[in-house]
Amino acid sequence: MTRLPVTYSIIVPVCNDEEVLFGAYKRLKQIMKPAAASYEFIFVDNYSTDRSADMLRVFCAADVRVRVIYLSVRCSHAAAIAAGIDHAVGSGIAIMEVKPVDRKADMAELASPHPGYTIRALEGFTHSPLWDSIPAG
């Protein structure tokens, strides 16, 4: 089967998210529907022990834009994202979360930022939880 060119690859790490997975998938489709560009969803199942993997199989069978990577052992969140990036074919990559993110905690961190965040802010970047383990400098 020949794959069509993909403009955007949306990577979605999943780990035991069966309760919110279908709603998140529907919302992602709504968000991308008005986009004139082609896209793909790459769900990365981080060794879920609930029914998340089964739900992803259904998404994949029903939607040609869905691809799923099943990790054989539990990895870190960053490793799951890296696996999705490794398999992305789009020229633009976005990482989306299934679970809501606690923005109040992020804002509390920004109120008294780590010195590394200050450097990154001066470089034009904003805060990301992925930077928590990256040393500044």
Side-chain angles (χ1 to χ4, degrees):
M1 177 173 79
T2 305
R3 292 186 56 90
L4 296 173
V6 174
T7 305
Y8 299 109
S9 295
I10 295 92
I11 299 165
V12 186
V14 175
C15 186
N16 297 328
D17 294 319
E18 73 174 294
E19 293 176 6
V20 295
L21 191 55
F22 182 70
Y25 170 64
K26 278 179 42 178
R27 181 70 180 127
L28 286 172
K29 283 180 61 170
Q30 288 174 345
I31 291 168
M32 293 306 295
K33 190 173 187 175
S38 60
Y39 60 90
E40 67 177 348
F41 295 124
I42 301 175
F43 289 91
V44 182
D45 180 50
N46 197 354
Y47 201 68
S48 294
T49 56
D50 63 0
R51 296 181 317 153
S52 296
D54 297 330
M55 294 174 72
L56 293 174
R57 284 184 191 88
V58 171
F59 298 167
C60 197
D63 189 343
V64 296
R65 293 186 197 111
V66 173
R67 293 196 298 147
V68 182
I69 299 166
Y70 298 96
L71 300 180
S72 59
V73 295
R74 178 76 44 90
C75 299
S76 69
H77 187 71
I81 291 170
I85 291 171
D86 287 345
H87 288 84
V89 296
S91 55
I93 296 174
I95 294 140
M96 305 297 286
E97 297 293 336
V98 173
K99 295 177 185 168
V101 179
D102 183 7
R103 294 292 172 209
K104 290 180 184 174
D106 289 344
M107 296 310 289
E109 283 185 32
L110 288 174
S112 59
H114 183 276
Y117 297 147
T118 306
I119 292 168
R120 289 183 183 95
L122 292 173
E123 294 170 349
F125 295 100
T126 57
H127 176 263
S128 168
L130 294 177
W131 288 340
D132 290 347
S133 61
I134 300 173

